[in-house]
Amino acid sequence: MKMPTVNTENGTLFLHPDRNLAMELVRATEAAAIRAVPFIGRGDKNAADKAAVDAMRKFLGTVNFDGVVVIGEGEKDEAPMLYNGEHVGNGRGPACDIAVDPIDGTSLTAAGRQNAISMIAVSDRGSMLDASSVFYMDKIVAGHEAVGIVDIRKPIGENLRALAKAKGKPIGEMVVAVLDRPRHAQLIEDIRTAGAGTRIMLDGDVAGGINAARYGTRIDMCVGIGGSPEGVATACAIKALGGLIQGRLVASSDDERQKGLDAGLKFDYIYEADELVSSNNTYFVATGVTDGGLVSGVRRKGPTIHTESIVLRGRSGTVRRVIGEHLADKWIGELDFGNVGDHA
């Protein structure tokens, strides 16, 4: 039996997050994904995000935990958000840090493209790096073969050759996921010059990083500058996969750099997995909004709505897939699937 730990903030007792929390979190990501469906391909990413945020917030309010949003979403473009510092859950049960993105890939959703997911990452209270004051992070993610071999400080070609050798495959068969951004033009050229192929992502480097760390996928490495919140969330998943993640904060201005320094963040410094998330008691949960390499998107099949989710637990090192079949009539309305807070 686990012994309770004293919460020194208010003198109450709480337990660390346990395995029962996972299914409660899946309900929240499923609701957000389903609620975003009417906005797929409609060109309005903020409307999609708002629908997903509202659904996720309502479901999280019923969960037996005291969650604090350490990594929220929306700061970059003033979209609707579950904001940093917001308390979620019913206040009873384990005290947790939360990284949340009701839709990772709002632009993908708005355009009707693949790889949009709804995701939540959870760890023990006080264990997540609060990198919210600095939007971007240069990251490298790979599987367990990369541990002790790959280092973000080395040239990408050197890392690729070392990882190819460790994996026992020709470098010509290596595939690297990179966000499609002008800032990555030289990085992409260097990857191809080294002899490897690229998988160019329009958005959604959380899924790219997880696929790079999972065994048996087509992605061997995920690199480049993406969101710092996504880096922390990915680290929660990597704890379950035994892979490698390193991150280096990138300030877009002197003012942002100073805000980061004032918040206690380090620049010109490599954050390892245990610094991004110091606890091994982590959960990462994602439900597909649109189809992708990590999970399939929401689908309407006759009277049912089908969802696919992935659940990764750091403590046990397990990866589970959850297939949901939801009676569509319970999500009242053909277009908006109804009042999600009362169903699922």
Side-chain angles (χ1 to χ4, degrees):
M1 176 179 177
K2 294 180 183 177
M3 296 301 293
T5 303
V6 175
N7 181 338
T8 56
E9 292 179 3
N10 57 24
T12 59
L13 296 176
F14 65 83
L15 295 173
H16 296 293
D18 64 21
R19 69 194 69 173
N20 297 322
L21 183 60
M23 285 306 298
E24 293 298 301
L25 298 175
V26 168
R27 291 175 67 242
T29 55
E30 286 175 342
I34 290 171
R35 191 62 183 85
V37 167
F39 301 95
I40 294 174
R42 300 300 179 90
D44 189 344
K45 68 176 187 176
N46 281 357
D49 204 19
K50 183 180 187 305
V53 168
D54 290 346
M56 181 174 283
R57 177 180 280 121
K58 197 160 189 176
F59 267 89
L60 286 177
T62 70
V63 178
N64 286 323
F65 76 142
D66 177 15
V68 173
V69 178
V70 175
I71 299 293
E73 57 88 39
E75 293 92 342
K76 276 181 269 191
D77 53 10
E78 298 182 355
M81 69 179 79
L82 279 151
Y83 58 85
N84 293 336
E86 179 174 354
H87 280 256
V88 295
N90 62 17
R92 300 187 296 272
C96 306
D97 283 350
I98 308 291
V100 60
D101 198 341
I103 304 180
D104 180 33
T106 52
S107 295
L108 299 176
T109 302
R113 295 190 174 110
Q114 294 189 339
N115 293 313
I117 61 173
S118 175
M119 73 91 182
I120 300 173
V122 174
S123 65
D124 292 324
R125 175 68 56 80
S127 61
M128 278 188 191
L129 178 72
D130 183 354
S132 58
S133 57
V134 180
F135 292 150
Y136 294 106
M137 179 183 288
D138 188 13
K139 292 164 280 191
I140 188 165
V141 187
H144 70 276
E145 303 94 341
V147 177
I149 299 290
V150 168
D151 193 304
I152 196 171
R153 287 161 286 214
K154 296 178 182 177
I156 187 63
E158 184 178 340
N159 278 326
L160 280 168
R161 288 187 288 272
L163 184 57
K165 182 177 180 180
K167 297 184 79 165
K169 62 191 296 186
I171 195 167
E173 295 180 7
M174 298 287 284
V175 178
V176 183
V178 189
L179 283 172
D180 186 12
R181 302 290 186 270
R183 60 179 176 266
H184 291 150
Q186 185 62 53
L187 176 61
I188 292 169
E189 182 178 338
D190 291 345
I191 291 167
R192 293 170 177 169
T193 298
T198 53
R199 180 70 55 85
I200 305 300
M201 304 178 294
L202 294 173
D203 221 333
D205 62 341
V206 173
I210 294 173
N211 279 328
R214 289 176 58 227
Y215 179 77
T217 72
R218 295 292 304 275
I219 306 298
D220 297 287
M221 187 184 293
C222 183
V223 298
I225 297 172
S228 58
E230 288 83 352
V232 176
T234 303
C236 286
I238 297 304
K239 295 278 184 161
L241 297 170
L244 170 121
I245 180 169
Q246 294 176 322
R248 177 168 46 200
L249 292 169
V250 179
S252 57
S253 67
D254 290 340
D255 181 59
E256 187 181 54
R257 183 182 180 91
Q258 188 58 53
K259 286 180 180 178
L261 292 170
D262 292 343
L265 297 174
K266 303 174 185 177
F267 293 89
D268 306 314
Y269 177 82
I270 306 304
Y271 284 94
E272 306 284 349
D274 285 340
E275 295 170 292
L276 294 170
V277 184
S278 61
S279 171
N280 286 322
N281 192 29
T282 62
Y283 293 87
F284 178 91
V285 177
T287 299
V289 177
T290 60
D291 286 342
L294 184 64
V295 282
S296 297
V298 179
R299 299 187 182 194
R300 177 76 177 263
K301 296 182 179 180
T304 58
I305 299 165
H306 290 235
T307 57
E308 183 182 10
S309 305
I310 189 169
V311 180
L312 299 94
R313 187 176 181 225
R315 174 164 286 174
S316 58
T318 54
V319 180
R320 293 183 171 90
R321 290 193 178 271
V322 178
I323 305 300
E325 294 184 12
H326 316 262
L327 190 60
D329 286 348
K330 299 294 186 179
W331 298 73
I332 305 163
E334 290 283 334
L335 294 177
D336 63 7
F337 295 147
N339 184 358
V340 298
D342 296 335
H343 307 289

mmCIF file of all heavy atoms in Angstrom, residues 18 32 38-39 41 46 51 54 64-65 79 84 89 184 196-197 235 280 286 294 296 299:
data_model
loop_
_atom_site.group_PDB
_atom_site.id
_atom_site.type_symbol
_atom_site.label_atom_id
_atom_site.label_comp_id
_atom_site.label_asym_id
_atom_site.label_seq_id
_atom_site.Cartn_x
_atom_site.Cartn_y
_atom_site.Cartn_z
ATOM 1 N N ASP A 18 -1.750 7.427 -9.662
ATOM 2 C CA ASP A 18 -1.659 5.991 -9.838
ATOM 3 C C ASP A 18 -2.313 5.587 -11.152
ATOM 4 O O ASP A 18 -2.806 6.416 -11.908
ATOM 5 C CB ASP A 18 -2.284 5.246 -8.660
ATOM 6 C CG ASP A 18 -3.784 5.485 -8.529
ATOM 7 O OD1 ASP A 18 -4.400 5.888 -9.533
ATOM 8 O OD2 ASP A 18 -4.324 5.268 -7.441
ATOM 9 N N ALA A 32 -12.172 16.033 -26.116
ATOM 10 C CA ALA A 32 -11.602 17.150 -26.867
ATOM 11 C C ALA A 32 -11.485 16.815 -28.349
ATOM 12 O O ALA A 32 -11.789 17.638 -29.219
ATOM 13 C CB ALA A 32 -10.235 17.517 -26.290
ATOM 14 N N PRO A 38 -16.106 18.712 -35.920
ATOM 15 C CA PRO A 38 -16.837 19.570 -36.864
ATOM 16 C C PRO A 38 -15.988 20.676 -37.476
ATOM 17 O O PRO A 38 -16.396 21.286 -38.477
ATOM 18 C CB PRO A 38 -17.961 20.161 -35.998
ATOM 19 C CG PRO A 38 -18.120 19.209 -34.879
ATOM 20 C CD PRO A 38 -16.742 18.701 -34.593
ATOM 21 N N PHE A 39 -14.805 20.940 -36.916
ATOM 22 C CA PHE A 39 -13.977 22.041 -37.395
ATOM 23 C C PHE A 39 -12.831 21.561 -38.278
ATOM 24 O O PHE A 39 -12.037 22.374 -38.758
ATOM 25 C CB PHE A 39 -13.433 22.834 -36.196
ATOM 26 C CG PHE A 39 -14.524 23.400 -35.332
ATOM 27 C CD1 PHE A 39 -14.952 22.714 -34.206
ATOM 28 C CD2 PHE A 39 -15.148 24.581 -35.672
ATOM 29 C CE1 PHE A 39 -15.975 23.208 -33.420
ATOM 30 C CE2 PHE A 39 -16.171 25.092 -34.891
ATOM 31 C CZ PHE A 39 -16.592 24.400 -33.762
ATOM 32 N N GLY A 41 -10.876 20.829 -41.338
ATOM 33 C CA GLY A 41 -10.936 21.314 -42.710
ATOM 34 C C GLY A 41 -11.757 22.565 -42.915
ATOM 35 O O GLY A 41 -11.992 22.977 -44.054
ATOM 36 N N ASN A 46 -8.793 28.596 -34.345
ATOM 37 C CA ASN A 46 -9.188 29.037 -33.015
ATOM 38 C C ASN A 46 -10.538 28.462 -32.593
ATOM 39 O O ASN A 46 -10.747 28.147 -31.417
ATOM 40 C CB ASN A 46 -9.220 30.565 -32.945
ATOM 41 C CG ASN A 46 -7.828 31.158 -32.791
ATOM 42 O OD1 ASN A 46 -6.844 30.431 -32.674
ATOM 43 N ND2 ASN A 46 -7.737 32.474 -32.800
ATOM 44 N N ALA A 51 -13.356 24.714 -28.997
ATOM 45 C CA ALA A 51 -14.251 23.578 -28.771
ATOM 46 C C ALA A 51 -13.548 22.483 -27.986
ATOM 47 O O ALA A 51 -14.121 21.892 -27.056
ATOM 48 C CB ALA A 51 -14.746 23.042 -30.114
ATOM 49 N N ASP A 54 -12.884 23.653 -24.251
ATOM 50 C CA ASP A 54 -14.105 23.611 -23.441
ATOM 51 C C ASP A 54 -14.444 22.182 -23.030
ATOM 52 O O ASP A 54 -14.824 21.917 -21.887
ATOM 53 C CB ASP A 54 -15.276 24.224 -24.209
ATOM 54 C CG ASP A 54 -15.140 25.735 -24.370
ATOM 55 O OD1 ASP A 54 -14.290 26.336 -23.679
ATOM 56 O OD2 ASP A 54 -15.883 26.303 -25.195
ATOM 57 N N ASN A 64 -10.699 12.793 -10.160
ATOM 58 C CA ASN A 64 -10.216 12.797 -8.775
ATOM 59 C C ASN A 64 -8.716 13.065 -8.730
ATOM 60 O O ASN A 64 -7.899 12.153 -8.594
ATOM 61 C CB ASN A 64 -10.517 11.449 -8.095
ATOM 62 C CG ASN A 64 -11.981 11.287 -7.762
ATOM 63 O OD1 ASN A 64 -12.657 12.244 -7.384
ATOM 64 N ND2 ASN A 64 -12.480 10.085 -7.914
ATOM 65 N N PHE A 65 -8.365 14.319 -8.882
ATOM 66 C CA PHE A 65 -6.981 14.734 -8.672
ATOM 67 C C PHE A 65 -6.946 16.249 -8.531
ATOM 68 O O PHE A 65 -7.918 16.940 -8.803
ATOM 69 C CB PHE A 65 -6.066 14.242 -9.788
ATOM 70 C CG PHE A 65 -6.148 14.996 -11.112
ATOM 71 C CD1 PHE A 65 -5.002 15.232 -11.843
ATOM 72 C CD2 PHE A 65 -7.345 15.433 -11.643
ATOM 73 C CE1 PHE A 65 -5.034 15.900 -13.052
ATOM 74 C CE2 PHE A 65 -7.404 16.104 -12.861
ATOM 75 C CZ PHE A 65 -6.235 16.328 -13.560
ATOM 76 N N ALA A 79 -4.692 32.101 -28.536
ATOM 77 C CA ALA A 79 -5.851 31.248 -28.767
ATOM 78 C C ALA A 79 -6.516 30.914 -27.443
ATOM 79 O O ALA A 79 -5.967 31.188 -26.380
ATOM 80 C CB ALA A 79 -5.391 29.965 -29.480
ATOM 81 N N ASN A 84 -1.768 28.599 -17.836
ATOM 82 C CA ASN A 84 -0.762 28.225 -16.849
ATOM 83 C C ASN A 84 -1.211 28.660 -15.456
ATOM 84 O O ASN A 84 -1.653 29.783 -15.248
ATOM 85 C CB ASN A 84 0.581 28.880 -17.170
ATOM 86 C CG ASN A 84 1.181 28.352 -18.457
ATOM 87 O OD1 ASN A 84 0.859 27.240 -18.878
ATOM 88 N ND2 ASN A 84 2.037 29.137 -19.081
ATOM 89 N N GLY A 89 -9.413 19.350 -12.154
ATOM 90 C CA GLY A 89 -9.762 18.232 -11.294
ATOM 91 C C GLY A 89 -10.707 18.687 -10.201
ATOM 92 O O GLY A 89 -11.033 19.867 -10.081
ATOM 93 N N HIS A 184 14.779 25.613 -40.463
ATOM 94 C CA HIS A 184 15.352 24.270 -40.531
ATOM 95 C C HIS A 184 15.943 23.938 -41.897
ATOM 96 O O HIS A 184 16.317 22.787 -42.136
ATOM 97 C CB HIS A 184 14.296 23.233 -40.172
ATOM 98 C CG HIS A 184 13.886 23.254 -38.740
ATOM 99 N ND1 HIS A 184 12.624 22.893 -38.305
ATOM 100 C CD2 HIS A 184 14.576 23.616 -37.626
ATOM 101 C CE1 HIS A 184 12.558 23.019 -36.993
ATOM 102 N NE2 HIS A 184 13.725 23.463 -36.563
ATOM 103 N N ALA A 196 20.829 10.398 -44.964
ATOM 104 C CA ALA A 196 19.551 9.974 -44.392
ATOM 105 C C ALA A 196 18.391 10.667 -45.105
ATOM 106 O O ALA A 196 18.575 11.670 -45.800
ATOM 107 C CB ALA A 196 19.511 10.282 -42.901
ATOM 108 N N GLY A 197 17.199 10.142 -44.902
ATOM 109 C CA GLY A 197 15.999 10.754 -45.442
ATOM 110 C C GLY A 197 15.297 11.592 -44.395
ATOM 111 O O GLY A 197 15.598 11.507 -43.203
ATOM 112 N N ALA A 235 8.836 14.637 -23.007
ATOM 113 C CA ALA A 235 9.679 14.003 -21.987
ATOM 114 C C ALA A 235 8.875 13.063 -21.108
ATOM 115 O O ALA A 235 9.372 12.010 -20.692
ATOM 116 C CB ALA A 235 10.373 15.064 -21.140
ATOM 117 N N ASN A 280 9.685 9.905 -12.377
ATOM 118 C CA ASN A 280 9.433 8.801 -13.300
ATOM 119 C C ASN A 280 7.973 8.366 -13.265
ATOM 120 O O ASN A 280 7.570 7.494 -14.032
ATOM 121 C CB ASN A 280 10.340 7.610 -12.961
ATOM 122 C CG ASN A 280 11.777 7.859 -13.381
ATOM 123 O OD1 ASN A 280 12.023 8.457 -14.428
ATOM 124 N ND2 ASN A 280 12.722 7.425 -12.567
ATOM 125 N N ALA A 286 -2.824 10.525 -25.391
ATOM 126 C CA ALA A 286 -3.170 11.264 -26.612
ATOM 127 C C ALA A 286 -4.263 10.526 -27.364
ATOM 128 O O ALA A 286 -4.253 9.294 -27.449
ATOM 129 C CB ALA A 286 -1.953 11.434 -27.512
ATOM 130 N N LEU A 294 0.833 8.153 -35.225
ATOM 131 C CA LEU A 294 0.779 7.744 -33.824
ATOM 132 C C LEU A 294 -0.558 7.104 -33.483
ATOM 133 O O LEU A 294 -0.602 6.023 -32.877
ATOM 134 C CB LEU A 294 1.033 8.950 -32.915
ATOM 135 C CG LEU A 294 1.115 8.678 -31.418
ATOM 136 C CD1 LEU A 294 2.302 7.776 -31.095
ATOM 137 C CD2 LEU A 294 1.213 9.985 -30.639
ATOM 138 N N SER A 296 -4.974 6.859 -34.931
ATOM 139 C CA SER A 296 -5.974 7.200 -35.949
ATOM 140 C C SER A 296 -6.886 8.303 -35.435
ATOM 141 O O SER A 296 -7.055 8.487 -34.224
ATOM 142 C CB SER A 296 -6.814 5.957 -36.289
ATOM 143 O OG SER A 296 -6.009 4.953 -36.851
ATOM 144 N N ARG A 299 -13.600 8.915 -36.073
ATOM 145 C CA ARG A 299 -14.394 8.504 -37.227
ATOM 146 C C ARG A 299 -15.835 8.231 -36.810
ATOM 147 O O ARG A 299 -16.075 7.658 -35.751
ATOM 148 C CB ARG A 299 -13.810 7.246 -37.869
ATOM 149 C CG ARG A 299 -12.399 7.446 -38.374
ATOM 150 C CD ARG A 299 -11.896 6.269 -39.149
ATOM 151 N NE ARG A 299 -10.511 6.484 -39.564
ATOM 152 C CZ ARG A 299 -9.892 5.753 -40.480
ATOM 153 N NH1 ARG A 299 -10.537 4.765 -41.069
ATOM 154 N NH2 ARG A 299 -8.639 5.998 -40.793
#
